[in-house]
Structure formats: structure tokens, C-alpha cells
Amino acid sequence: MLIALLLCCCLYVSAQNVTLNGIVTDSQNLPLPGVTVKVTGTSKATVTDYDGKFTLAAPANSSLLFSFIGYVSQTINMAGKTNITVLLQSDKMLLETVTVTALGI
């Protein structure tokens, strides 16, 4: 019985949420508004504000996926962290494949 109680306490402690904060910038250190920040393996997500800042409640050992059109997605393990700065690199391959057409002229 004591083992079951200890196991329940350990599971409760490991499942507690913490508030994760951060800012997302580009290679020129400019804030990126509208970046999707998602807790991997869940449906929890948020979007960065005008200043590139985000706040999200998630389990302490979670990983966050940062994605934005035109930038390479990045996953960061948040174990032991509550505040981070994320630098997203532009996806040059994606930018090179843009095609403009003039249909209907």
C-alpha cells in the first residue's frame, strides 16, 4: 500500500504544469510575431505576440515545437527551463521555390 501511495505522489509531481515564457526572433534579432508554439504530443499551443513573446502552461519536461511560414521549424526540450529565447532561421530552400504566374491577363 505504501508503494502505491509513493507511486501516485511521484506521478502527480511529474505531471504538474509550469508556465513557460520566451521570445522568438529571426537571424537579425528582430521579434517574430505569429510563430506557432506547440507542446509536442498534445494539442496545447499558442502564438507569439507582436513582440515575439509567448506564455504557455505545459508539463515541466515537455518539448516545444516552434513553426512559422518561411522559417525552419525547431523543437526545444524545456526540461529545467522556464524562460528561453529562440532563434528561427529562414528556410532559404522554401523561399527559392516561389513561383509567380500571370494567369488571366
Side-chain angles (χ1 to χ4, degrees):
M1 173 118 167
L2 181 60
I3 294 173
L5 180 62
L6 289 174
L7 183 60
C8 288
C9 289
C10 290
L11 290 175
Y12 175 74
V13 169
S14 67
Q16 289 182 348
N17 284 347
V18 294
T19 301
L20 306 174
N21 301 299
I23 185 168
V24 182
T25 62
D26 65 6
S27 59
Q28 297 175 350
N29 206 28
L30 296 172
L32 287 174
V35 175
T36 301
V37 182
K38 183 178 186 292
V39 180
T40 56
T42 71
S43 60
K44 290 184 181 181
T46 189
V47 178
T48 57
D49 66 11
Y50 179 77
D51 296 320
K53 296 179 182 178
F54 71 91
T55 300
L56 184 63
N61 294 333
S62 60
S63 294
L64 299 182
L65 172 65
F66 298 84
S67 59
F68 192 54
I69 295 175
Y71 289 83
V72 178
S73 296
Q74 187 174 349
T75 302
I76 297 179
N77 186 346
M78 294 299 294
K81 303 173 195 169
T82 57
N83 196 353
I84 62 167
T85 300
V86 179
L87 172 68
L88 289 185
Q89 298 291 333
S90 64
D91 189 352
K92 294 177 183 172
M93 192 68 154
L94 180 64
L95 295 176
E96 290 177 4
T97 59
V98 174
T99 304
V100 178
T101 61
L103 297 176
I105 295 180

